[in-house]
Amino acid sequence: MISLNIIICEDKQEYIKEVSRIVKLLFDNSDIKYSINTFNNYEETINYIESLDSYEDCLYILDIDLKQDKNGLLLGREIRDIDDYKGEMIYITAYIHQMSSVFKYKLRILDFLDKGYNMENDLKEALKTYLKIYRHRIENKALLFKVGTDVIMVKPSDIIWIETDKHKKKIIMHTTTEQISINLTLKEIQEKLTEEFIQIHRCIIVNKEHIKKIEYINEDLYVVLTGDIKEIISKRREKEVRACILQ
């Protein structure tokens, strides 16, 4: 399931708590799944961001004055070198006169907020704007599935493989973060998928982007997926799977 990653970097603990409170207040009233990761220095923030696999679901909320050799503007510049402008960025600072520097560093930010003037209201408005942008983007890219009374959204790139549940008339979708059980047949879900997916067995579909290699185990051929998951390839699908590996 799609999950928004909110990354806060601020050197003062009281502001980390306040910004986190405002974020929770807004997002707890939305249907967006999210996590908050907070940091009070440049190095820890960059190390965390470099460890991520994807940046489209990242929202960075940054301070400019980090009381370090490298300030928040340099942090923003390095983030942009890493995420290639895929995430969104908000600055909250007491140094509002530095707004022009944002353009100098070519950061492409969503908003620039003054800590000393109506910060809570301004941050809420910025987050509401972000939610509109985020919803529009995921609704155009995500796959939507009904699970019980809920409708969930899943990015195709997050799906590693899909298999038939042999004991129930369901499929199990394995993503990078969780397993999702859905009341569909493999044929029905295949109609929703893009060309990035390939059926390797009568009860298994895999995401080509997550295929690391193919290998023999005894006399059977398997795909090795992200996370060292191994799934068997049927004899009749072998030629097609080999062809997609060579593309």
Side-chain angles (χ1 to χ4, degrees):
M1 191 184 301
I2 291 173
S3 179
L4 174 60
N5 188 358
I6 301 169
I7 300 162
I8 300 170
C9 182
E10 160 67 58
D11 67 309
K12 294 182 179 178
Q13 192 61 37
E14 62 265 32
Y15 277 111
I16 287 179
K17 288 181 179 179
E18 179 64 5
V19 171
S20 298
R21 182 189 68 80
I22 296 167
V23 168
K24 288 176 183 176
L25 196 63
L26 190 78
F27 282 94
D28 281 350
N29 290 322
S30 75
D31 57 352
I32 299 293
K33 184 179 177 182
Y34 73 98
S35 62
I36 299 175
N37 293 280
T38 63
F39 305 92
N40 60 13
N41 67 73
Y42 186 105
E43 287 77 15
E44 287 183 2
T45 309
I46 287 299
N47 289 340
Y48 174 73
I49 291 171
E50 286 180 330
S51 74
L52 300 176
D53 296 321
S54 174
Y55 300 100
E56 291 181 349
D57 303 310
C58 288
L59 171 62
Y60 318 104
I61 303 178
L62 310 175
D63 183 26
I64 286 183
D65 186 17
L66 298 176
K67 302 292 189 298
Q68 293 181 282
D69 292 339
K70 294 182 178 180
N71 64 21
L73 293 173
L74 289 171
L75 172 61
R77 180 63 263 163
E78 191 162 347
I79 289 172
R80 287 313 189 199
D81 289 340
I82 296 168
D83 83 343
D84 197 25
Y85 295 89
K86 289 185 174 69
E88 295 289 347
M89 191 175 288
I90 295 173
Y91 273 99
I92 303 177
T93 180
Y95 297 89
I96 200 72
H97 62 277
Q98 291 188 327
M99 183 175 182
S100 59
S101 298
V102 169
F103 300 99
K104 173 186 170 184
Y105 282 83
K106 298 181 173 63
L107 299 179
R108 190 185 67 73
I109 71 166
L110 181 65
D111 214 335
F112 193 98
L113 309 178
D114 186 350
K115 281 183 179 178
Y117 179 76
N118 208 8
M119 186 188 81
E120 178 168 348
N121 184 66
D122 288 349
L123 180 55
K124 284 180 181 176
E125 290 304 312
L127 292 173
K128 287 176 185 176
T129 299
Y130 174 75
L131 264 178
K132 290 178 183 177
I133 295 169
Y134 186 70
R135 284 183 192 282
H136 178 75
R137 185 167 69 238
I138 62 175
E139 285 171 4
N140 280 283
K141 289 186 176 181
L143 298 171
L144 275 66
F145 301 101
K146 188 172 177 60
V147 177
T149 58
D150 298 325
V151 175
I152 65 169
M153 295 178 286
V154 182
K155 284 196 303 183
S157 60
D158 286 345
I159 301 170
I160 301 175
W161 88 100
I162 303 165
E163 62 181 337
T164 301
D165 185 331
K166 297 173 184 176
H167 304 293
K168 301 176 183 177
K169 293 182 179 179
K170 292 183 178 183
I171 61 160
I172 300 172
M173 180 181 297
H174 301 265
T175 76
T176 54
T177 58
E178 63 186 329
Q179 294 181 20
I180 305 168
S181 182
I182 303 172
N183 286 310
L184 289 175
T185 66
L186 210 64
K187 183 178 180 181
E188 288 171 333
I189 200 166
Q190 202 163 22
E191 294 172 356
K192 293 175 173 282
L193 300 175
T194 65
E195 293 180 355
E196 292 304 313
F197 292 83
I198 183 170
Q199 188 165 357
I200 65 166
H201 190 275
R202 64 183 179 82
C203 60
I204 300 170
I205 295 172
V206 303
N207 187 336
K208 295 177 187 177
E209 294 180 1
H210 287 283
I211 297 177
K212 301 305 178 183
K213 61 181 178 178
I214 57 176
E215 64 178 32
Y216 279 100
I217 300 176
N218 297 324
E219 295 182 359
D220 294 318
L221 189 62
Y222 285 75
V223 291
V224 181
L225 304 169
T226 299
D228 201 34
I229 304 298
K230 296 179 175 67
E231 294 291 342
I232 194 167
I233 303 169
S234 67
K235 297 291 185 184
R236 61 188 294 265
R237 300 280 181 178
E238 183 176 326
K239 184 177 179 180
E240 186 181 356
V241 175
R242 286 187 183 278
C244 89
I245 292 289
L246 294 172
Q247 287 177 357

